[in-house]
Amino acid sequence: MTLTTLRLKKNADRRLKAGHLWIYSNEIDTAATPLNGVQPGQQAVIESSTGKALGIAYINPNTLICGRLVSRNTKHALTTSLIVHRLKIALSLRERLFDQPCYRLVYGDSDNLSGLIVDRFHDYLVVQTGTIGMEVMREEIVEALVKVLKPAGILFRNSGGARKLENLPEYIETVYGEVPDELPLIENDTQFLAPVMEGQKTGWFYDHRPARAYLNTMVKGLRVLDVFSYIGGWGVQAANHGASEVFCVDSSALALEYVHKNAELNGVGDKVATLEGDAFSALKELHTAQEKFDIVIMDPPAFIKRKKDIRNGEQAYRRVNEMAMRLLNNNGVLVSGSCSMHLQRDSLVDILRASARHIDREIQLFGECHQGADHPIHPAIPETAYIKALFGRVLKV
C-alpha cells in the first residue's frame, strides 16, 4: 500500500510524541503537503517538520480533528490484520477482568482503534463507527470481529453527534448473522434484556458498572428512586440486591417497558414501579405528593456536550440534584452521576455543596466511582475519562 505523506508544522509533533493520537487541521503544514487532495478516510504517513516519520493516521480534511493515528509503525497501516491484532489485545484485558462476556470490548482511542466502539452481549456484538476513517473499514472490521470472536451476529448501530461532525449518515444494520431486537446481558449478578434495535446508543450503558455494584451494597430494605432510569440499570439492580421498593423515572415508554421486563426477569417485578415523564416534572410531582426516599439515583444524560454548554449544563445539574435532595429522608443517600466529559469532578462536588446549602442541608461525600475497567483511560487523552459518580449522605443541619 502506497500512502500519501502529510507533514506537521514545527513543534506540532509534541502531543503525538507524548502519546496522543489526534492531529488537528491547523497542525498540518499545508504549504508543504496540501490537505485538499486527500480523500476523507484515506490513510497517510504523518511526519514531523524535519521529515521524521511518526506513524500512520486516517484523515478527514473536512473536520477539526483531521487525523487519528492508527499505528506508530509506518509498515503497519490499518488493515484487517492490524484490527485483528488490536481486538486480541482488547479482548485479553476484558477476559482478565470479567467473568461474563458482557462488556465494552473496544473503547476507541483507549484500545488504539480511534472512532470504533464495540459492545459485547454474550455471542452478539453491537458496533458504532464514529469517524469516516472507521466507516470506510466496515468490511475489515466485520472480518476481524468474526475471526477473533466468531459471534452469532453483528449489528452496526450508527447514530449520534460524532457521525454528524464527520458528515456520515445514520443507520442500523445487521451486517453478520442474525441479531434479535433485544439482547441478554448480566451485570453485577443481575440479568437484563437490552433493546439494541430501538434503545439508546448500543442498547446498554456498561460504563457505570462499578458505581452500581457499590450502590448494591447499601440498598437492602430501603426505598429507592432511580431518575433517568433508562431500562433499569441502577433500579432493577437495587431491587435485585434487596431494596424494598424501587421507583424508576424516564421519559421513554419503551425504556420503562424494559424496566418491568427486566424486573420480572430477576423475580423482583413486585418491588419495581415506573413513572413516565420529563424528569423535572416527575421530581416536582413526587415532591408535591410528599414522597420520600432513602436513596435517590440521579444519572442524567450529558447536559454538557460542548464547552459552550458548560454554564447552562451546570445549572441543569444543580437543579436536578437539588430536587433529588428534597425527596430524601434525613440521612438519605444521593448518588449523583455524570457522563459529561466537560463537567469537571470538582465542579460536580461544588454543585452538590451549593444544592445542599440552598435547601438548608449538608452533604457528606463518602464514596466515588469512575468508569468501569472496560472503559480504560488513555493517559494522554483526557476525553476518554468522562464518567463520575459521587455518593453523598444528605443531612439536616
Side-chain angles (χ1 to χ4, degrees), residues 334-390:
L334 172 67
V335 184
S336 182
S338 170
C339 60
S340 293
M341 183 270 295
H342 293 295
L343 178 67
Q344 298 301 309
R345 180 258 184 195
D346 289 348
S347 296
L348 181 57
V349 169
D350 198 54
I351 285 168
L352 297 182
R353 176 202 58 76
S355 298
R357 293 307 306 132
H358 190 250
I359 61 170
D360 204 23
R361 301 285 193 276
E362 287 185 353
I363 185 166
Q364 289 179 319
L365 298 176
F366 64 85
E368 183 171 358
C369 293
H370 305 280
Q371 60 213 56
D374 53 348
H375 290 66
I377 294 167
H378 193 303
I381 306 178
E383 289 85 351
T384 60
Y386 68 103
I387 284 291
K388 293 161 283 288
L390 298 177

Side-chain angles (χ1 to χ4, degrees), residues 185 191-193 260-268:
L185 68 115
Q191 300 179 67
F192 289 93
L193 289 171
H260 289 291
K261 189 177 290 191
N262 288 323
E264 293 292 340
L265 192 61
N266 291 279
V268 293

